[in-house]
Amino acid sequence: MNIATTQFPVFKAPNCIASKLEISDVIAKVRAWIQNCEVKHVHCGVPQCPRLPSRVIDIGVLDSYEDIKLVLNAGRSAQYLALSYCWGAGTTMIQTTSSSLETWNKGIPWQRLPRTFQDAVVITRELGLQYLWIDALCIIQDDTHDWEFQSAEMADIYSNAYITVAATSAPDSHHGLFANKWTRSSGDNNFKIPIDAHLVTTSAKNLEDKVFVRPRLHLAHNRFCNMENAMDHIEDAPLLTRAWAFQERLLPSRTLHFHAEELVWECKSAVQCECQSLDRNFSFEETGMQGWLKNFVTGSLHDNNSAEELGHVWLDLVSEFGALRLTNESDRLPALSGLASKFSDKCLGNYVAGIWEHDVARGLLFATSASEELQRLHQSQSSLPSWSWASAYLHGLQISYGYILKRGFIQDPSFHILGMDLERSSSNPFSWVEHGVLHIQGHCASARIFTGASSSLDQPDVKFVMRLDGSPRSIPLDYFRSDGNIDTLTDALLCCLLIGEQDTSWSVDLGHDGTICEYVLVLRKASEELKTYRRVGLLSIMDPSCSLRNEPVLTASLA
């Protein structure tokens, strides 16, 4: 019985989705998607015989699990599969260390591999590939030099992979790829249910006419069709909440996601799913590249965009990345270094602690957001420059350039970057930095934050007061976004530095009476002798009577 052609057009004939994945069905689906990419998608090609990463796992011969081992590439070239997965909190997992390297070169016992690694081996074999790349085994985890070298290679490792398999629904490496599928019911109850199809009893006279129903799949569609919603899918797509997985998702030409509901194929030109709902609703063949995150980035890198346009894309990516979770805060720049290297051969100049040389002014204007309780606990990473978004501890916080992306930006004519001193702590130019100083110039006004008595017992009366044209002016506290605990700034002498203003040619978010927003960095002196300041927050001034344009010009160093 073909429901889709009956008199009830509200019903559709959805693809049959098995609640339990079988390897044969997975491989058949993957081969079809790969063929579609190779025939129809210009940007989805992969090297036919790429240089192997410095270490790979040789998966041995079919039907044998006794000859899996870690090997050096020794100049070899071959196709390989890469794995993206969650390590998991507090879980024990096999790793390569300085002491285990020689052992794994001789052989890796099958029983020592967690289930997700075992499943990746099976898929690699079924696709006819010989090599597999897994970071826990292919990077020496206790060797800083090897980590630096491998982090610099991330862009090539994932970009050159024949396919990347993403354990999207697995919270750790022991979960596996072939878990039973589930979804959540719509409505207020929102409980977890299996996706099994059920036979519905009907009055049909022909016994061969059968009707099956299954729950509507929606979690995967919502996750992949939208940006900045990772934390809404912690349970069904935990991998996509992790900062390291961000570039692992965007760098490969084609990725197979094992989502909780269904398989999802994410290539550089489209997103397709097992139930084909995304295929039907967003036909690549009719409209070309869609507005998905991955092909949005791909299109931006292939188009002849200006530095301003590419910089806009980068700030958008940092805003998305800045909402994701990271176990070690010091990894924030390394976790994005592979993606940064892809932007490096464009017109953005040098990469400076997460910000591009030709877009520094706009890059300075990030904002942090969190609950008041978390803000009071927040502190910056003192070893990183305060002017970089990477300096913020993001546990419970979020970095965003939303204000700038929404309102646009025009640099103030008096604001200049006079020079920069950067000390790198890694051989990877897109990774760690030890210290960095910007030498800057711009209109500046002094300010203080005062806390006084209030009629409310719970909330003290906090005022932000700037001295403009020699007179104190109270600025609404809502204009100020502190980088951390605002209590530490009480009665401290602050410096407000004008960076620029919103671009009215493409912004509709104007203030009262068409007021243009001014973007101001709030600084605090770190060294009296050297005239060195550190950033402590961002001020968005929407009151023309509080403009800094007529204030004196300050020349200083920002650390």
Side-chain angles (χ1 to χ4, degrees):
M1 181 177 182
N2 189 348
I3 298 177
T5 58
T6 67
Q7 59 182 317
F8 304 106
V10 69
F11 295 116
K12 294 183 178 180
N15 252 27
C16 180
I17 303 296
S19 60
K20 180 68 174 179
L21 284 170
E22 298 292 340
I23 184 63
S24 58
D25 296 330
V26 172
I27 297 303
K29 194 68 180 173
V30 168
R31 290 193 186 282
W33 277 327
I34 289 176
Q35 183 180 25
N36 188 58
C37 277
E38 291 178 343
V39 172
K40 298 179 180 179
H41 299 171
V42 175
H43 298 300
C44 294
V46 296
Q48 291 300 309
C49 197
R51 179 179 62 86
L52 285 172
S54 58
R55 293 184 201 88
V56 287
I57 302 165
D58 186 330
I59 62 169
V61 297
L62 194 62
D63 299 328
S64 172
Y65 299 103
E66 303 300 324
D67 52 356
I68 299 173
K69 58 186 176 182
L70 188 65
V71 296
L72 287 172
N73 72 5
R76 283 176 289 184
S77 296
Q79 291 182 325
Y80 60 94
L81 184 146
L83 180 66
S84 177
Y85 65 100
C86 289
W87 280 50
T91 59
T92 57
M93 182 180 67
I94 186 173
Q95 300 177 30
T96 294
T97 61
S98 301
S99 60
S100 65
L101 177 61
E102 186 176 352
T103 302
W104 302 155
N105 285 339
K106 296 175 182 177
I108 303 174
W110 176 256
Q111 64 273 15
R112 290 291 307 275
L113 296 175
R115 183 178 298 176
T116 300
F117 292 10
Q118 292 178 348
D119 291 343
V121 169
V122 172
I123 292 174
T124 304
R125 285 180 170 177
E126 291 295 329
L127 286 173
L129 305 178
Q130 188 67 38
Y131 300 105
L132 170 63
W133 191 88
I134 302 176
D135 59 357
L137 291 171
C138 297
I139 301 175
I140 304 174
Q141 300 300 318
D142 60 352
D143 186 329
T144 302
H145 175 75
D146 194 57
W147 248 112
E148 291 178 1
F149 175 79
Q150 299 293 345
S151 66
E153 297 290 311
M154 287 296 180
D156 288 339
I157 289 171
Y158 282 100
S159 297
N160 291 336
Y162 179 72
I163 179 179
T164 294
V165 167
T168 306
S169 66
D172 56 53
S173 62
H174 301 281
H175 188 81
L177 299 175
F178 296 91
N180 289 333
K181 298 178 186 175
W182 58 270
T183 186
R184 286 205 172 273
S185 61
S186 302
D188 296 334
N189 293 326
N190 197 30
F191 48 85
K192 186 188 293 188
I193 52 177
I195 67 164
D196 299 275
H198 299 277
L199 177 64
V200 177
T201 303
T202 68
S203 57
K205 295 180 180 179
N206 188 344
L207 296 179
E208 294 183 358
D209 288 341
K210 297 179 181 179
V211 175
F212 291 85
V213 296
R214 63 159 170 79
R216 181 179 67 89
L217 305 186
H218 61 99
L219 295 175
H221 305 156
N222 178 269
R223 177 62 190 95
F224 285 92
C225 287
N226 298 284
M227 293 177 64
E228 299 185 13
N229 67 346
M231 294 309 160
D232 296 332
H233 296 268
I234 293 176
E235 192 173 14
D236 60 279
L239 176 64
L240 302 187
T241 69
R242 306 301 302 175
W244 271 108
F246 188 68
Q247 67 175 8
E248 294 171 8
R249 176 186 173 190
L250 296 180
L251 289 171
S253 290
R254 43 209 190 193
T255 302
L256 175 67
H257 291 273
F258 283 78
H259 186 270
E261 283 185 328
E262 58 178 332
L263 296 175
V264 175
W265 181 259
E266 188 176 32
C267 65
K268 288 187 174 181
S269 299
V271 178
Q272 298 169 278
C273 61
E274 199 175 355
C275 76
Q276 296 186 357
S277 177
L278 294 177
D279 308 44
R280 288 192 296 264
N281 295 332
F282 303 95
S283 173
F284 167 84
E285 321 307 339
E286 295 177 4
T287 61
M289 295 181 72
Q290 299 297 331
W292 314 109
L293 174 62
K294 189 166 183 170
N295 54 53
F296 164 67
V297 175
T298 301
S300 299
L301 290 175
H302 281 85
D303 293 340
N304 188 24
N305 288 324
S306 65
E308 181 181 8
E309 292 168 328
L310 273 178
H312 186 96
V313 173
W314 180 256
L315 299 184
D316 210 355
L317 290 175
V318 170
S319 296
E320 179 91 3
F321 174 80
L324 304 178
R325 294 174 170 178
L326 196 62
T327 301
N328 300 311
E329 289 294 337
S330 60
D331 285 351
R332 194 151 299 280
L333 285 176
L336 203 61
S337 64
L339 197 56
S341 71
K342 288 295 185 181
F343 280 75
S344 65
D345 60 350
K346 302 300 176 181
C347 51
L348 291 170
N350 293 322
Y351 188 67
V352 186
I355 297 173
W356 293 99
E357 179 185 11
H358 295 166
D359 200 29
V360 171
R362 189 165 52 165
L364 298 175
L365 301 176
F366 62 88
T368 59
S369 61
S371 65
E372 183 176 342
E373 180 181 0
L374 284 171
Q375 281 281 43
R376 293 184 184 278
L377 295 173
H378 168 67
Q379 58 179 333
S380 66
Q381 300 180 78
S382 58
S383 63
L384 291 174
S386 66
W387 45 265
S388 167
W389 55 265
S391 68
Y393 277 113
L394 295 182
H395 183 68
L397 298 176
Q398 179 176 349
I399 288 294
S400 175
Y401 285 95
Y403 283 105
I404 309 302
L405 297 174
K406 183 179 180 181
R407 296 170 176 168
F409 172 77
I410 297 177
Q411 183 172 327
D412 187 78
S414 296
F415 177 76
H416 300 288
I417 304 292
L418 304 177
M420 58 181 70
D421 301 320
L422 191 66
E423 181 182 341
R424 302 189 186 276
S425 58
S426 166
S427 58
N428 180 0
F430 308 106
S431 188
W432 292 275
V433 294
E434 196 67 45
H435 299 286
V437 176
L438 294 182
H439 304 291
I440 55 177
Q441 186 179 76
H443 291 294
C444 178
S446 62
R448 289 185 187 272
I449 295 176
F450 298 101
T451 302
S454 171
S455 57
S456 170
L457 297 179
D458 298 328
Q459 296 292 335
D461 184 21
V462 182
K463 293 182 178 180
F464 192 105
V465 179
M466 270 200 310
R467 181 164 289 276
L468 298 170
D469 196 23
S471 301
R473 290 294 306 271
S474 183
I475 307 295
L477 198 61
D478 290 345
Y479 290 177
F480 179 56
R481 302 288 293 276
S482 174
D483 288 346
N485 187 349
I486 194 173
D487 294 343
T488 64
L489 304 178
T490 300
D491 206 32
L493 181 61
L494 304 175
C495 171
C496 298
L497 184 73
L498 178 63
I499 307 297
E501 64 183 32
Q502 74 183 98
D503 185 353
T504 57
S505 68
W506 68 307
S507 173
V508 295
D509 186 19
L510 300 177
H512 301 296
D513 303 321
T515 302
I516 297 174
C517 175
E518 289 186 2
Y519 303 119
V520 177
L521 278 190
V522 180
L523 313 175
R524 184 177 186 176
K525 187 166 285 189
S527 169
E528 188 69 38
E529 298 80 12
L530 300 176
K531 285 190 176 181
T532 301
Y533 294 80
R534 289 186 66 83
R535 177 191 147 131
V536 294
L538 180 67
L539 192 64
S540 301
I541 299 178
M542 301 293 291
D543 186 346
S545 67
C546 297
S547 173
L548 275 71
R549 290 191 187 92
N550 296 321
E551 296 304 305
V553 172
L554 170 75
T555 299
S557 297
L558 181 58

